[in-house]
Amino acid sequence: MTRDVRLLNTGSLLELSRRLRAAGNENIRQSMHRRIRRAAEPLRSELQSTMRGLDIRPPGRTTRPGGPSPTTRPLRATIADAIRISVRTGASPGATVWVDKGRLPPDLKNMPKVINDGRIRHPVYGNRRKWVTQWAQPPWWDSTVRRHLPRMEREVARIVDDVRRRLE
């Protein structure tokens, strides 16, 4: 998904990364890496639970019609399982939370963005002559990230300060 979340304070993290390499203390670097990942974990967990519980329905309907999905893979769970975290402490330090398109089937690669926009248009049970439009609660990704961003920025700033103090 193009709207990935990046926890970056480029100047502070780059300077800190250089000082960590110069100090050669691998324990401090591993601790910083672990703490930054821990700061991003609640966001990933909430993004996954938001996706799994997302309400997708045709307009005007209050209940879900029809029976079980004709496919063997549930849409929401497949997308939720593709949400990943990456933490770097090297040359380009920071953390990224994103939907890994490599973990999605080829026909669902664009689906996280489409669902975030709120309008899903698809053929009915694969019949390309009959299409339906469904609506999702937009924006599942953006609103969840917005709620978590201030907390994550505070935690990363605290981590950077702690590591800086340990290096002095």
Side-chain angles (χ1 to χ4, degrees):
M1 187 162 174
T2 57
R3 300 175 195 170
D4 55 353
V5 182
R6 297 174 190 267
L7 292 175
L8 300 172
N9 183 353
T10 310
S12 298
L13 286 173
L14 278 172
E15 177 259 332
L16 198 59
S17 179
R18 281 189 210 109
R19 288 177 60 191
L20 276 170
R21 272 196 305 274
N25 191 336
E26 198 60 35
N27 188 22
I28 296 174
R29 178 184 268 167
Q30 288 172 350
S31 172
M32 181 174 123
H33 187 276
R34 185 176 53 252
R35 290 176 67 192
I36 290 175
R37 176 175 287 282
R38 210 176 305 141
E41 281 290 338
L43 172 62
R44 184 185 73 156
S45 297
E46 188 170 338
L47 283 168
Q48 287 176 329
S49 65
T50 300
M51 173 48 67
R52 285 188 176 104
L54 194 66
D55 188 25
I56 300 175
R57 66 178 73 198
R61 293 261 174 95
T62 57
T63 61
R64 289 189 185 176
S69 171
T71 65
T72 57
R73 60 171 201 270
L75 172 69
R76 294 172 193 85
T78 302
I79 294 172
D81 291 341
I83 298 173
R84 316 297 287 163
I85 297 176
S86 172
V87 178
R88 297 165 316 284
T89 54
S92 176
T96 305
V97 179
W98 84 103
V99 175
D100 185 359
K101 290 183 178 183
R103 296 182 60 113
L104 293 173
D107 59 333
L108 296 181
K109 298 237 185 260
N110 199 32
M111 193 56 72
K113 181 186 178 319
V114 170
I115 292 175
N116 193 58
D117 293 340
R119 181 176 180 261
I120 307 156
R121 185 159 165 73
H122 63 90
V124 177
Y125 295 109
N127 180 355
R128 296 234 168 245
R129 288 179 282 163
K130 183 161 173 73
W131 287 70
V132 66
T133 301
Q134 290 183 297
W135 302 92
Q137 304 159 338
W140 72 277
W141 180 272
D142 298 341
S143 59
T144 305
V145 168
R146 221 179 347 263
R147 281 195 307 274
H148 281 265
L149 210 51
R151 177 196 55 80
M152 291 187 320
E153 287 172 344
R154 283 192 310 271
E155 286 186 37
V156 169
R158 186 176 6 184
I159 292 166
V160 167
D161 290 342
D162 289 350
V163 171
R164 191 175 282 137
R165 274 194 301 274
R166 286 177 70 182
L167 288 174
E168 290 177 352

